[in-house]
Amino acid sequence: MFGMGPGFLAAFALLALLTLSPRSATAQSKPPAVAFPEAEAPPASPAPTNPTSEAPSASPAPLPPASASPPPAPGPAAAPPPAAYAYPPPPPGYYPYGSYYPALVPVPPPPPRYSRDAAVSSTPFFDAIVVAADWENRISESASIGAQAGVFVALRVRLTAKISFPTGGWGDGTGSTASGLKTPSFFYAFSAGYAAVRTPTFAMSPGLMFARTDVSDYGSMLGFSLPLDWVMKGGLRLGLEGGLGPAFGGRRAVSCSEPTSIDCSQRPVYQDRKSGAALWLQFHIGFGLNHPGPLPPEVPPTPGAPH
């Protein structure tokens, strides 16, 4: 150590002197509280002279040190989490607030309703008719055009009267070539039936019909008829009617060239016609009066409401 030089020895001696001085030893021997003194506490307020008459006044709260920084301002409140749907889940078609709604589709109104007797309530009625008639041993007409008028009595009994005019192509059902018979100018017929089937747009009224021509030589027809009527909501009518039964009566001219037991000395010579089957087939289209209006729409019953 003595070989380090006189400068180094002088520095070492000064450091040792400072360390062993009395002030340094006193500071090192005291506790840390003495080495680092605390701030002095404020003096206590004097006790009141008359404790029974006056209450001691509360000492004011100590002010925060000036050097303390103010508390930070509160930030914006966090948004609450989205509300979850309660059980059960929302029904189909439910859209939460803020979502896009689908285009509203208008609900079509319910179809009009009519009473069960709407078809037979369309009375009286008037129709144009096309008739094909074939009466055995009498006449055969491929098409005749005419009209009919009818009425439903008490919404049950169907009565009609009709007339039709031949358009050509008729012939004697016997195949006779003898002349002397007048050509019929028109058919006329009557029918009566009962409306056994009735719906708002349809009626079926089986019954009887009687028909003949304006020439008595061709006899008459009496048979069973079955008219079918379709009635639209405005009163328009479409229908078919078939008739089948026997044809009877009438007479025909007889030619003397035919083998017969009739005396041909008198002119003309007539012979009664034989009975045979008769067919009547008719198509009609027309309009009925007093067609009823639609019924009010049905209102579903309210749950819990008295009936």
Side-chain angles (χ1 to χ4, degrees):
M1 181 177 64
F2 295 99
M4 293 181 182
F8 183 81
L9 291 177
F12 181 78
L14 180 61
L15 179 62
L17 180 62
L18 292 175
T19 303
L20 298 177
S21 63
R23 186 177 180 181
S24 297
T26 304
Q28 292 177 2
S29 63
K30 291 183 179 181
V34 176
F36 302 93
E38 296 180 355
E40 295 182 359
S45 59
T49 59
N50 191 7
T52 59
S53 61
E54 294 183 1
S57 60
S59 60
L63 297 177
S67 61
S69 60
Y85 292 122
Y87 187 83
Y94 174 80
Y95 294 88
Y97 178 77
S99 59
Y100 292 98
Y101 291 89
L104 297 178
V105 179
V107 179
R113 300 184 308 113
Y114 292 88
S115 64
R116 178 188 175 188
D117 296 330
V120 295
S121 298
S122 185
T123 182
F125 54 87
F126 304 92
D127 303 324
I129 64 175
V130 178
V131 178
D134 187 4
W135 297 356
E136 188 179 6
N137 300 324
R138 282 159 182 81
I139 191 173
S140 177
E141 172 64 30
S142 58
S144 59
I145 299 176
Q148 77 172 0
V151 64
F152 282 96
V153 178
L155 305 181
R156 296 295 183 272
V157 180
R158 183 182 187 270
L159 304 176
T160 62
K162 58 196 74 180
I163 184 172
S164 64
F165 302 89
T167 59
W170 69 277
D172 194 323
T174 60
S176 174
T177 58
S179 60
L181 294 180
K182 183 180 179 182
T183 303
S185 300
F186 57 88
F187 292 90
Y188 60 94
F190 305 95
S191 67
Y194 179 79
V197 178
R198 304 180 305 277
T199 70
T201 58
F202 175 75
M204 182 179 70
S205 310
L208 298 176
M209 71 173 300
F210 174 81
R212 64 180 294 134
T213 68
D214 61 322
V215 178
S216 60
D217 292 336
Y218 292 93
S220 305
M221 169 192 174
L222 178 63
F224 172 79
S225 69
L226 183 63
L228 308 175
D229 299 311
W230 287 270
V231 183
M232 309 305 168
K233 62 181 181 180
L236 179 66
R237 293 169 43 85
L238 298 172
L240 297 171
E241 182 175 357
L244 180 64
F248 55 91
R251 62 178 185 172
R252 68 185 184 91
V254 178
S255 173
C256 289
S257 60
E258 300 177 10
T260 180
S261 58
I262 299 177
D263 185 8
C264 293
S265 60
Q266 298 180 0
R267 295 290 187 275
V269 179
Y270 295 98
Q271 185 180 26
D272 292 336
R273 295 179 184 268
K274 297 179 180 180
S275 299
L279 175 66
W280 181 282
L281 183 60
Q282 169 187 308
F283 168 77
H284 56 264
I285 179 173
F287 186 80
L289 304 179
N290 302 317
H291 188 75
L295 299 176
E298 293 182 343
V299 178
T302 304
H307 297 285

